[in-house]
Amino acid sequence: MKFDLTDLRLFVLVADEGSLTRAAKRQHLSLAAASTRIKSLEVQSGQTLLYREARGVRLTPPGEAFFYHARGVLRQVEQLRVDLQEYGVGLRGHVRVFANTTAVTDFLPEILPGFLSNNPRVNVDLQEKPNAEIARGVLDGRADIGIVAGKVDTLGLQAIHFSTDRLMLVTSREHRFATYKTIAFADTLDEDAVGMQHSSTLQTFLVKVTESLGKPLKLRIQLSSFDAMCRMIGAGVGVGIVPESAARRNFLAMNLALIELTDDWSVRERYILVRDQSALPAYAQALIETLCAHHREPGA
């Protein structure tokens, strides 16, 4: 098939507007020219891409597939334009990273300052996403690198194991659970809870766990970082589920007790997801090595 970006933009506009007339106007084409371009796409593909109806048009099943891929191509073209603009102002590299809550709020803030200092002409676009969306983002090219934890469908991507994460119950030292060595998550649900904001990966996961147990969390407050959670927990506001690294970082200063969870899901393997590591630019591979090296260090 031979088509140009104008064809793709026009088709996406037709799908968005549900009207060939409005799409042609937005693309600054005559209705006749727009209709000819769409017909040409249908002839080349050998498929009817649109249902023509009295009040407009709608996508056929092949049209839905064409729309999905056309939108992906246009997204990549736009990202290419943005990346080239950044090279034009002296930026040599741009790495897009999708990561879960723990990565974004806990260990990447420790790692990225050093990486950026050592790579002054590399830019990192870091976005927090749910685990499933991280894999999809890497697969369709919206992200160069993904960071996930736990059981995740990697969608056939390369998965590089770099550390093991453990979730723990954290309480104040005065709480009745403070003397426990282990506890099941289900046994904590009668307690007031301190949690992460509702959009975070961890909080979304815990909501699913509690739904399966048939009993919701008794959330008193939701916060944007694990350190803030630890301060609230230490002050006696409630108990919380926190990654071990964050819990130990705040252990002494925040008057905390740490209790291991007996639930299997509390131990989560962490992976870096990429489409093809060997095809990544050197600066993206350097970020992966920095991340792995950090977690190879004792106590990391």
Side-chain angles (χ1 to χ4, degrees), residues 119-132:
N119 298 271
R121 301 185 76 177
V122 174
N123 186 38
V124 176
D125 176 9
L126 174 62
Q127 298 183 41
E128 181 181 342
K129 300 284 185 181
N131 277 326

Side-chain angles (χ1 to χ4, degrees), residues 132-148:
E133 189 173 338
I134 293 169
R136 286 196 300 270
V138 175
L139 184 65
D140 66 22
R142 287 178 292 138
D144 305 298
I145 295 171
I147 301 174
V148 297

Side-chain angles (χ1 to χ4, degrees), residues 83-123:
D83 286 354
L84 289 178
Q85 282 182 337
E86 292 177 339
Y87 276 96
V89 295
L91 199 63
R92 289 182 180 172
H94 186 102
V95 188
R96 297 181 299 272
V97 181
F98 283 5
N100 64 2
T101 304
T102 304
V104 170
T105 63
D106 194 37
F107 60 84
L108 283 177
E110 297 180 9
I111 297 169
L112 288 179
F115 174 80
L116 293 171
S117 177
N118 293 331
N119 298 271
R121 301 185 76 177
V122 174
N123 186 38

Side-chain angles (χ1 to χ4, degrees), residues 129-230:
K129 300 284 185 181
N131 277 326
E133 189 173 338
I134 293 169
R136 286 196 300 270
V138 175
L139 184 65
D140 66 22
R142 287 178 292 138
D144 305 298
I145 295 171
I147 301 174
V148 297
K151 295 181 179 178
V152 180
D153 183 353
T154 61
L155 305 178
L157 296 165
Q158 289 185 10
I160 305 163
H161 181 268
F162 67 97
S163 71
T164 301
D165 176 31
R166 178 185 291 276
L167 296 174
M168 306 192 78
L169 178 72
V170 179
T171 74
S172 72
R173 292 180 193 168
E174 289 74 34
H175 194 277
R176 65 189 183 93
F177 290 156
T179 58
Y180 288 32
K181 291 185 178 180
T182 62
I183 194 169
F185 177 65
D187 294 335
T188 73
L189 296 180
D190 288 330
E191 304 298 312
D192 289 336
V194 175
M196 288 289 285
Q197 57 194 359
H198 72 276
S199 60
S200 73
T201 308
L202 176 58
Q203 202 60 38
T204 300
F205 172 76
L206 291 177
V207 167
K208 290 181 179 178
V209 173
T210 57
E211 286 176 352
S212 70
L213 295 171
K215 196 170 186 178
L217 283 168
K218 296 171 61 178
L219 285 167
R220 292 291 309 282
I221 187 169
Q222 292 179 264
L223 302 156
S224 61
S225 75
F226 294 120
D227 291 344
M229 280 183 64
C230 288

Side-chain angles (χ1 to χ4, degrees), residues 106 110 164-171 173 180-182 226-227 230-231 233 240-261 270 298-300:
D106 194 37
E110 297 180 9
T164 301
D165 176 31
R166 178 185 291 276
L167 296 174
M168 306 192 78
L169 178 72
V170 179
T171 74
R173 292 180 193 168
Y180 288 32
K181 291 185 178 180
T182 62
F226 294 120
D227 291 344
C230 288
R231 285 196 293 273
I233 293 168
I241 304 299
V242 177
E244 183 176 15
S245 55
R248 295 201 181 282
R249 185 172 60 245
N250 290 280
F251 175 65
L252 293 176
M254 300 300 172
N255 188 42
L256 302 177
L258 280 54
I259 301 104
E260 289 189 12
L261 292 167
R270 291 170 173 163

